[in-house]
Amino acid sequence: MPILPAHIAELGLDKPIPAEVNGRRNGVVNDPTWDAAYHPCAEAYPGADVPAGVVRKLEDWSGSRIYPGTRRHLWLYAPAGLATAAAPGIVFFNDGAWYLSRSGPVRAAQVLDTLRHQQEIEATVAVFITPGVPDGPVEGPIESYDAPTAQRSLEYDTLTPRYGEFLFSEILPLVERELAVKLSSEPVHRTVCGISSGGIAAFTAAWHHPDQCQRVLSHCGSYTDIWGGHNYPSLIRRTPRKPLRVLLQSGEHDANTPFGDWALANRAMASALEYAGYDYRFEFGTGGHNLNHGGALFADSLRWLWRWRNEDE
């Protein structure tokens, strides 16, 4: 049975977490030795013969009706040869600057260039999205959050259809207009990717909108009690299976905060996906709460998620 509404207030679950509890504060600790074995994948270093896609920045975009009073940066990636491509796919990257960085652990645009050149993927557009910066105060799940951090949590950690609506009804048409391209309408050709709160946001978008997107790449996803994300394993077990393909990544030194234990939470997600019969993959390593392990696996993750070319979908 779900918890009764009256008991939520009695237990204090309707209140933000104090900034300090039991001598501990919210935050992430990363020791470089935990991730010493992880390096960007080989595909992140394209050869001189690999045509580079074009990345264009939309700075301080403020056109959202779903999140009014916010501004954010977007980067649009167009692969080489897009003009002649038929119905390209798309990847949405939450916390997009972390994935786009040409010297970061993922280097997503370079990987997409390489995989396309090697004819391992079809032409695929990408949009790298930052969380909104709000014009005013925003309620957060913990007292220590400032307004931009609370807005990121509102967009990413809440379990409503709202962020998916933002991606599929606002960002998707924007990308098509800006790149002058008609993208594939097939949900198997759309992927949402993110780390931490961006990871659970990727899952939530596909969970609520499987008619729009059926591929999820979650790095160190926040399936913890920030805005109720710890309920997903139960929901997955008790809900008729949805047509999603999901790759989860976490590590033994993932975050451990007042919101919960990320390593345990991701293991619980993997167990629930297994129980419910999902097409899923769980990569559990030794690393911390960062993109190092996910970056090392990034090209292989896309190959696994996008293996529709060899299947009857």
Side-chain angles (χ1 to χ4, degrees), residues 52-66:
V54 176
V55 177
R56 182 156 59 91
K57 184 178 183 181
L58 301 182
E59 191 163 3
D60 287 331
W61 181 74
S62 58
S64 177
R65 298 181 304 278
I66 292 173

Side-chain angles (χ1 to χ4, degrees), residues 157-178:
D157 291 311
T158 54
L159 308 188
T160 73
R162 195 176 178 195
Y163 189 69
E165 292 166 2
F166 167 73
L167 292 181
F168 308 128
S169 71
E170 294 190 339
I171 298 301
L172 180 64
L174 174 67
V175 171
E176 290 186 319
R177 289 195 304 269
E178 291 291 330

